[in-house]
Amino acid sequence: MGIEGSVFGASRLASIAAPEPSIPMILRLVVVAASLVVIGLLVHANTLVGSSRNAHLSALRAGGPSAVGSSTAAAAASESPQAGAAQHSQPAKASHMTATSEPAQHATPPLAATTPHAEAAPQGCPPTRKPYHVVMTAATGIYQEWQSRIAYYHYLKQKKAGGPCSDIGGFTRLFNSPSAAPDKLMDEIPTLVVKQLGHGSCDECDHGFIVMNRPWGAVQFVETEHFRNIPEEYLFFIETDHMMMRPPLNGATPEKPVGFGFYYMISTDPKLQPVVQKFLDPAIDIRTVDNVGPSPLLVHKAMLKRVARPWWDLSVKMKHDSDANHIFGWVLEMWGYNLAARNLGIRHTVSQSIQVEPQGIGTDDMADKDIYHYTFGLSLPGGWRVDKRQYYGGYPADHLRSPPACSARSAQIITNLWTEAAQQISNWPRRVEPIAEDPHAGSPFAKLLQLPVAKRGGVSDLLVGTGPWAWGRLKALYFFSRGVAYINNGDGPRSADAHNVGRGSWRGQDLDSKLTRRGLNQ
């Protein structure tokens, strides 16, 4: 309004000063006035959009995964990523390409599928935006198939949640397949097919380690027309067992990728250090080796092209070394990437928020994490368990049994994420009847479990998550977070019995104290 007022004011002053202006003078004044109005509107709009984007991402960050997968099936259906994608007027086509051929058109897929062809840049996004292309490495088989579908569902969900100015761009499933043969997901997920390694110890064999296909796939990927056509300058490498919980921000630069800090990738660990030094350039200080792997990884396209072949070559060299093969074990190709990159002079920004890897009884530390990596299973007293290895030969059901109410947040989140995706993905092959909701979900005990976990210290750090303990005549005492203790002395409910959670108390004979599942001494 202030700019428009100035424009009109200038026109009026011009009219007073020159009561009979010439036609060219009038046209010049009109052009100047219109230009000022347009400039003002553009500045105002850009400010609003930039502020809106920052506020939106801040809100997403603040919310974290607290709402992840928490919607009911009906609510999720209304916000389904597939439903949102179906609003596009023209279906895109998935790419069936091999590392040795030009892109070939495949059958028309569902509307959610996309290709790496350039899209119009969103209007009004801040110039600091750095979009990345998500690349999910995958292999053949049912086990990888259902994980890939869940991962792609949550990618679509977070891409929609992030809005047009988030850093999430397109998607490619980098699919290692024997003889580069397509599979039935070609029409559902944008896919680049590359040749899978053969079995054995030849130059293009897996050396008895199937994960060698990841660096081998990267070597083929960077030489394809598909790679060259990806419009985003950055790539975000994920795996099939990764589920996005919020839109990750791109903190990478052309010179410095962003990787997750793995606790089992510490180069100075006494067990690892001798082997690390064997493959590290002697001129490089071992303390400067970042504890990262090739996934999750935000990396510039040019840097991936630079490191792909050394990653593969070093991984093969390690497989032929008995010490590396024994000590590095199932993370050998991760070390292949790590040390190949470091030998090229590459350092990483190490992030602990880019993903979380719950295991055992799980964790409550979920608030600022981008990806749920379910590489480890969760198992709780009473028999509740979720582990991807339970489903090697078939799909999980679209309704999983809920974990005990006193479980860590990660158990609730993985159950919700799996269930939501399975319910919303079309043609999910294993459908079951919905599991009845816990009638005590609104009990005081259930509300207690929703409270934030207080910062612990001292003895509580040692006790939380442990059991069973024996105390007097009590033979099964478990300690949980939020001040909750559970006792099962043979006459009480099992911890997996959701209908009894938060009710009743149990007293050991000849003991002066009584424990309840609310963790109170009475």
Side-chain angles (χ1 to χ4, degrees), residues 38 45 67 104 110 121 126 221 250 263 269 344 353 368 401 464 486:
V38 170
F221 175 48
N250 184 4
Y263 69 87
D269 182 293
L344 290 171
S353 64
D368 64 342
R401 182 164 66 97
V464 169
Y486 169 69

Side-chain angles (χ1 to χ4, degrees), residues 182-199:
D183 69 348
K184 63 183 180 181
L185 294 187
M186 297 295 299
D187 293 345
E188 180 177 334
I189 304 176
T191 295
L192 171 66
V193 181
V194 294
K195 186 178 179 182
Q196 181 174 302
L197 291 166
H199 298 299

Side-chain angles (χ1 to χ4, degrees), residues 96 106 173 175 177 180-184 186 193:
H96 169 211
H106 199 66
R173 178 180 62 136
F175 180 50
S177 173
D183 69 348
K184 63 183 180 181
M186 297 295 299
V193 181

Side-chain angles (χ1 to χ4, degrees), residues 440-517:
H440 303 289
S443 68
F445 179 68
K447 293 179 180 178
L448 171 67
L449 298 179
Q450 296 172 7
L451 296 176
V453 179
K455 185 176 181 180
R456 301 192 303 267
V459 176
S460 64
D461 274 337
L462 302 175
L463 289 178
V464 169
T466 64
W469 291 82
W471 182 30
R473 295 182 180 273
L474 300 179
K475 304 302 181 184
L477 173 63
Y478 299 87
F479 294 101
F480 294 92
S481 60
R482 301 180 179 86
V484 176
Y486 169 69
I487 304 170
N488 182 3
N489 209 36
D491 58 350
R494 294 176 293 108
S495 61
D497 188 348
H499 296 289
N500 286 294
V501 169
R503 301 196 311 166
S505 61
W506 301 266
R507 182 192 296 272
Q509 296 180 5
D510 302 324
L511 296 176
D512 295 330
S513 62
K514 181 173 69 174
L515 295 174
T516 75
R517 298 179 92 167

Side-chain angles (χ1 to χ4, degrees), residues 8 29 42 90 108 119 138 147 155 163 219 237 249 281 284 306-307 344 401 420 424 429 443 449 471 475 479 482 505:
F8 290 128
L29 290 172
L42 287 176
Q90 179 65 34
T108 302
E119 301 176 354
Q147 292 178 49
Y155 153 79
V219 168
F237 271 82
L249 296 176
D281 186 326
I284 297 176
R306 180 183 168 205
V307 78
L344 290 171
R401 182 164 66 97
E420 178 191 334
Q424 298 307 313
S443 68
L449 298 179
W471 182 30
K475 304 302 181 184
F479 294 101
R482 301 180 179 86
S505 61

Side-chain angles (χ1 to χ4, degrees), residues 23 29-30 34 39 100 135 145 175 178 186 199 208 228 238 245 250 268 279 282 289 331 335 431 457 479 493:
I23 291 178
L29 290 172
V30 170
I39 291 172
T100 58
V135 180
E145 180 182 303
F175 180 50
M186 297 295 299
H199 298 299
R228 290 187 287 273
I238 66 170
M245 298 187 293
N250 184 4
T268 55
F279 297 96
V289 175
V331 295
W335 277 110
R431 304 288 187 187
F479 294 101

Side-chain angles (χ1 to χ4, degrees), residues 315-368:
S315 297
V316 172
K317 186 177 180 180
M318 288 177 175
K319 281 301 295 182
H320 287 125
D321 183 274
S322 59
D323 290 336
N325 202 33
H326 172 68
I327 297 298
F328 289 159
W330 63 276
V331 295
L332 181 143
E333 60 83 30
M334 294 173 65
W335 277 110
Y337 166 82
N338 181 303
L339 296 179
R342 189 67 193 94
N343 287 339
L344 290 171
I346 298 170
R347 293 296 306 272
H348 298 73
T349 297
V350 180
S351 170
Q352 294 304 136
S353 64
I354 198 171
Q355 81 167 6
V356 61
E357 293 183 322
Q359 57 185 299
I361 66 168
T363 178
D364 283 307
D365 184 17
M366 302 289 292
D368 64 342

Side-chain angles (χ1 to χ4, degrees), residues 81-82 85 88 91-98 103-117 119 133-139 145 148-156 159 168-176 182-194 221 226-227 230-232 236 238 240:
Q82 281 84 353
H88 295 295
K93 292 190 176 182
S95 302
H96 169 211
M97 291 169 277
T98 68
Q105 295 297 330
H106 199 66
T108 302
L111 304 183
T114 59
T115 64
H117 300 300
E119 301 176 354
H133 191 89
V134 179
V135 180
M136 179 181 69
T137 55
E145 180 182 303
S148 296
R149 299 181 79 186
I150 289 177
Y152 184 58
Y153 170 88
H154 286 292
Y155 153 79
L156 289 175
K159 181 175 173 63
I168 302 180
F171 188 98
T172 293
R173 178 180 62 136
L174 185 58
F175 180 50
N176 288 268
D183 69 348
K184 63 183 180 181
L185 294 187
M186 297 295 299
D187 293 345
E188 180 177 334
I189 304 176
T191 295
L192 171 66
V193 181
V194 294
F221 175 48
H226 182 97
F227 176 81
I230 290 174
E232 297 89 353
F236 186 28
I238 66 170
T240 57

